[in-house]
């Protein structure tokens, strides 16, 4: 069997599995976020934190709850890293330096999981479990909660209530993320992933030397890093490490977990607005963009563009022979189409055009299918922009799901869209203006690509990197931390403000001039708007980096 054939089968089985779980798992998530009954554990949590589960919140209160929870989480995680040398299971590691602790705390709270450090030689087991792994759960739950709040804005009318953040956060964590994480961790342990509290084992190498094999609670952190589209690995080499990703079938399972929730959330959307066909339209947009990206990335990597890859017959540098070129390219596409950031190969060693695709995926806004929750609300924002553009073309007031898209709504949608490009382009320019681009391993177009990738990844809350750049400095930790913080929470504020504006509206009956938003025409328009907006915004930067290198 050729590498290309194996890669095609790999992708087709993923597609089949995602199609099979779309309806049952989507319906399960719908029941989890829409049900009114509380379990005994949930009631205990609500009493402990003083939350009335029957009380709903306006968009402003919901947003303040998100920000307050995230701020407390950031402070706790920062302090945990700073005092880790005094904690149990510290493994003798020193406290994380202030700028590194700040960057890591922001990164995990913002669901970015950018790592400017080597996990196995920097973080003790308690910090990994009680700090990083916990944020892998709750930061993912925050994203899903915000997406659900936006859908409630479309589904409800004449009300300012969007639900209760604390109820949504608890239910999503306990009913969706935790059960799958338990089952997934068991599957990874069966596959060979490490799960222990070992400080390390000394072994003799084949050459007669000695080496310490680091252990730890790897499988339990691995599953939620993928399921929650987090991406921060226990080991420096992330999912390329055999203790995190031992076999080809665990590699398939990792990609499946990355895509599971984002591709199933449109079903929740359709159920909540009472029109399943609307969910099918949104998932169709996701699927078209994702399939195109996976196919193009595979083509660029399998073609092996470049003198050395063409000479040896494959672009194998930075890739693991266990996964070959095709499955590595598929993993790279999946992890950058979502906000995961996990890697099983070295993106910096991809061909110039293959590396460009990983950047382009993030520049799309990570909406195909995007992160847990963030992909769903990002694509709904693009749908709002699409119906607004369509309304301008035919001279009618645009409507989406019975809600008018007026000046207030389009302002929120536009501000959401503008945040990331501003952060990426201003950050990249600042790195060059201050001379901090000199930390890149390469010069010329590839050096620009390394800096551009770093700010694209941070601002889109992805977390992967072109690893040829040194970012564990005060300037880089601070700059990227700010991009992660602003790139996560400013969009959330605009999403919730839009949700509140939509929820207050009275429903508008459909008329002959209403654009159907469940048909192929609308699906194609959303795909076109998404690609065109990215192309117009980022094409000059891509032309100076990966395109110039490729040509």
């Amino acid at each position: 069997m050729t590498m290309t054939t194996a890669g095609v089968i790999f992708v087709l089985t993923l597609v089949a599995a995602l199609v099979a779980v779309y309806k049952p798992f989507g319906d399960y998530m719908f029941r989890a976020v829409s049900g009114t009954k509380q379990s005994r554990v949930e009631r205990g949590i609500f009493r402990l934190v003083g939350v009335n589960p029957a009380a709903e919140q306006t968009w402003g209160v919901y947003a303040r709850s998100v920000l307050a929870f995230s701020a407390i989480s950031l402070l706790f995680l920062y302090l945990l890293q700073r005092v880790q040398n005094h904690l149990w299971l510290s493994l003798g590691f020193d406290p994380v330096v202030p700028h590194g602790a700040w960057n890591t705390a922001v990164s995990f709270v913002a669901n970015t999981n950018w790592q400017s450090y080597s996990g196995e030689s920097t973080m003790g087991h308690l910090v990994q479990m009680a700090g990083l792994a916990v944020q892998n759960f709750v930061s993912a739950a925050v994203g899903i909660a915000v997406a659900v709040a936006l859908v409630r804005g479309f589904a409800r009318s004449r009300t300012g209530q969007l639900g209760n953040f604390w109820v949504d956060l608890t239910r999503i964590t306990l009913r969706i993320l935790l059960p799958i994480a338990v089952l997934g961790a068991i599957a990874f342990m069966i596959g060979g992933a490490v799960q222990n509290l070992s400080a390390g084992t000394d072994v003799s190498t084949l050459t007669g030397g000695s080496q310490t094999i680091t252990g730890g609670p790897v499988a339990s952190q691995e599953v939620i890093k993928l399921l929650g589209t987090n991406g921060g690995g226990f080991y420096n080499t992330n999912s390329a490490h055999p203790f995190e990703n031992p076999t080809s079938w665990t590699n398939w399972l990792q990609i499946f977990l990355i895509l599971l929730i984002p591709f199933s959330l449109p079903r929740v959307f359709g159920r909540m607005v009472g029109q399943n066909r609307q969910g099918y339209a949104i998932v169709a947009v996701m699927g078209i963009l994702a399939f195109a990206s996976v196919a193009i990335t595979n083509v660029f990597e399998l073609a092996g563009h470049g003198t050395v890859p063409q000479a040896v017959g494959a672009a194998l540098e930075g890739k693991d022979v266990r996964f070959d070129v095709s499955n590595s390219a598929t993993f790279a596409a999946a992890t950058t189409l979502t906000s995961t950031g996990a890697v099983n190969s070295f993106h910096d060693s991809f061909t110039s055009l293959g590396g460009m695709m990983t950047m382009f995926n993030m520049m799309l806004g990570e909406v195909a299918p995007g992160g847990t929750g963030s992909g769903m609300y990002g694509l709904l924002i693009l749908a709002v922009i699409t119906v607004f553009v369509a309304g301008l073309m035919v001279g009618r007031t645009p409507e989406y799901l019975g809600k008018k898209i007026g000046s207030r709504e389009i302002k929120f949608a536009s501000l959401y869209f503008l945040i990331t490009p501003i952060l990426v382009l201003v950050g990249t320019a600042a790195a060059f203006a201050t001379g901090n681009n000199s930390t890149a391993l390469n010069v010329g177009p590839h050096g620009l690509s390394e800096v551009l990738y770093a700010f694209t990844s941070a601002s889109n809350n992805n977390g992967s990197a072109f690893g040829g750049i040194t970012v564990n400095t005060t300037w880089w930790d601070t700059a990227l931390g700010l991009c992660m913080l602003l790139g996560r929470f400013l969009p959330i504020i605009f999403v919730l403000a839009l949700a509140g504006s939509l929820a207050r509206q009275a429903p508008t009956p459909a008329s002959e001039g209403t654009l159907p938003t469940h048909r192929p025409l609308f699906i194609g328009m959303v795909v076109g708007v998404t690609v065109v907006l990215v192309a117009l915004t980022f094409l000059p930067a891509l032309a100076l980096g990966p395109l110039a290198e490729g040509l």
Side-chain angles (χ1 to χ4, degrees):
M1 183 183 296
T2 66
M3 185 186 303
T4 302
T5 303
V8 170
I9 294 173
F10 188 90
V11 172
L12 291 179
T13 55
L14 272 173
V15 172
L18 291 169
V19 170
V21 302
Y22 172 77
K23 185 175 180 179
F25 185 60
D27 288 344
Y28 173 76
M29 288 197 292
F30 167 74
R31 292 191 295 270
V33 299
S34 301
T36 57
K37 294 183 179 179
Q38 313 294 337
S39 69
R40 182 176 300 177
V41 174
E42 290 167 350
R43 289 195 296 270
I45 292 175
F46 297 146
R47 283 196 296 268
L48 181 65
V49 298
V51 170
N52 178 8
E56 295 207 354
Q57 299 172 322
T58 63
W59 82 263
V61 177
Y62 203 103
R64 288 195 293 273
S65 299
V66 171
L67 296 177
F69 175 75
S70 301
I72 293 171
S73 298
L74 194 157
L75 179 61
F76 172 79
L77 186 52
Y78 175 85
L79 293 175
L80 193 66
Q81 295 174 81
R82 294 291 294 142
V83 301
Q84 78 159 344
N85 58 314
H86 300 296
L87 301 176
W88 179 56
L89 292 175
S90 67
L91 307 183
F93 292 144
D94 294 328
V96 180
V97 296
H99 60 84
W102 143 264
N103 183 275
T104 302
V106 170
S107 177
F108 278 77
V109 170
N111 198 240
T112 310
N113 304 79
W114 172 275
Q115 293 175 293
S116 60
Y117 60 89
S118 176
E120 66 267 40
S121 61
T122 306
M123 304 291 184
H125 292 340
L126 186 63
V127 174
Q128 293 267 21
M129 292 186 294
L132 306 187
V134 167
Q135 287 307 312
N136 282 351
F137 278 96
V138 295
S139 66
V142 166
I144 299 173
V146 172
V148 169
L150 176 59
V151 177
R152 289 188 184 121
F154 284 108
R156 296 180 176 183
S157 60
R158 299 188 182 93
T159 179
Q161 309 301 311
L162 295 177
N164 188 306
F165 168 72
W166 306 105
V167 173
D168 291 338
L169 179 73
T170 303
R171 284 181 173 177
I172 291 165
T173 302
L174 296 182
R175 299 187 185 187
I176 300 174
L177 298 176
L178 192 58
I180 302 175
V182 171
L183 296 175
I186 295 172
F188 281 129
M189 285 189 286
I190 292 172
V194 170
Q195 182 71 18
N196 56 46
L197 295 178
S198 171
T201 302
D202 294 329
V203 298
S204 298
T205 65
L206 294 175
T207 59
S210 62
Q211 182 180 351
T212 300
I213 305 298
T214 306
V218 179
S220 57
Q221 185 166 326
E222 187 72 9
V223 62
I224 190 57
K225 109 179 178 185
L226 301 159
L227 180 65
T229 61
N230 295 286
F234 191 93
Y235 295 100
N236 185 39
T237 52
N238 210 280
S239 287
H241 198 290
F243 287 1
E244 289 194 31
N245 193 3
T247 67
S248 58
W249 73 261
T250 60
N251 189 60
W252 184 96
L253 180 59
Q254 293 204 2
I255 300 176
F256 176 76
L257 287 172
I258 289 172
L259 301 175
L260 175 61
I261 292 177
F263 264 126
S264 298
L265 276 174
R267 177 69 179 183
V268 181
F269 168 62
R271 290 291 304 273
M272 291 183 69
V273 299
Q275 300 182 53
N276 286 330
R277 60 189 184 180
Q278 298 292 342
Y280 290 130
I282 293 298
V283 80
V285 175
M286 292 178 172
I288 291 169
L289 292 170
F291 188 81
S293 173
V294 170
I296 295 171
T297 305
N298 268 276
V299 167
F300 286 151
E301 288 304 295
L302 289 169
H305 176 75
T307 304
V308 174
Q310 289 178 350
V312 300
L316 278 169
E317 180 185 290
K319 297 182 177 70
D320 196 313
V321 294
R322 291 177 299 156
F323 310 134
D324 67 53
V325 172
S326 180
N327 291 351
S328 297
T330 299
F331 197 110
T335 196
T336 52
L337 284 167
T338 62
S339 64
T340 310
V343 295
N344 74 346
S345 56
F346 198 47
H347 290 188
D348 195 43
S349 293
F350 273 40
T351 63
S352 54
L353 298 182
M356 179 191 70
M357 284 304 301
T358 62
M359 276 191 277
F360 187 78
N361 291 339
M362 293 183 287
M363 291 170 177
L364 280 175
E366 294 176 331
V367 294
T372 49
S374 60
M376 185 73 234
Y377 62 68
L379 194 52
L380 289 177
I381 292 288
L382 286 166
V384 166
I385 294 175
T386 299
V387 296
F388 181 78
V389 172
L392 293 178
M393 293 172 66
V394 299
R396 290 182 59 88
T397 301
E399 303 166 9
Y400 187 46
L401 300 177
K403 299 299 178 70
K404 290 186 178 296
I405 308 301
S407 61
R408 179 181 177 85
E409 289 76 23
I410 201 62
K411 285 176 184 176
F412 289 138
S414 299
L415 288 170
Y416 174 96
F417 175 76
L418 290 171
I419 290 168
T420 301
I422 291 172
L423 293 174
V424 171
L425 299 176
V426 171
T428 302
F432 280 90
T434 58
N436 284 282
N437 63 300
S438 61
T439 59
L441 180 64
N442 295 279
V443 296
H446 197 77
L448 171 61
S449 295
E450 289 175 349
V451 175
L452 180 64
Y453 193 108
F455 280 100
T456 301
S457 178
S459 302
N460 284 281
N461 300 129
N462 184 272
S464 63
F466 265 18
I469 186 170
T470 302
V471 292
N472 57 341
T473 66
T474 301
W475 191 91
W476 276 103
D477 278 341
T478 303
L480 294 177
L482 289 172
C483 285
M484 289 185 282
L485 197 66
L486 297 174
R488 173 68 165 181
F489 294 106
L490 284 180
I492 282 178
I493 292 173
F494 294 128
V495 166
L496 292 173
L498 175 62
S501 178
L502 293 170
R504 286 192 296 270
Q505 290 187 27
T508 302
S511 65
E512 290 295 327
T514 301
L515 173 66
T517 55
H518 61 279
R519 295 178 181 171
L521 174 62
F522 180 73
I523 294 170
M525 290 180 66
V526 176
V527 171
V529 166
T530 303
V531 174
V532 169
L533 284 178
V534 172
L536 291 176
T537 306
F538 290 107
L539 182 59
L542 292 173
L544 293 172
L547 279 174
E549 182 184 2
L551 296 174

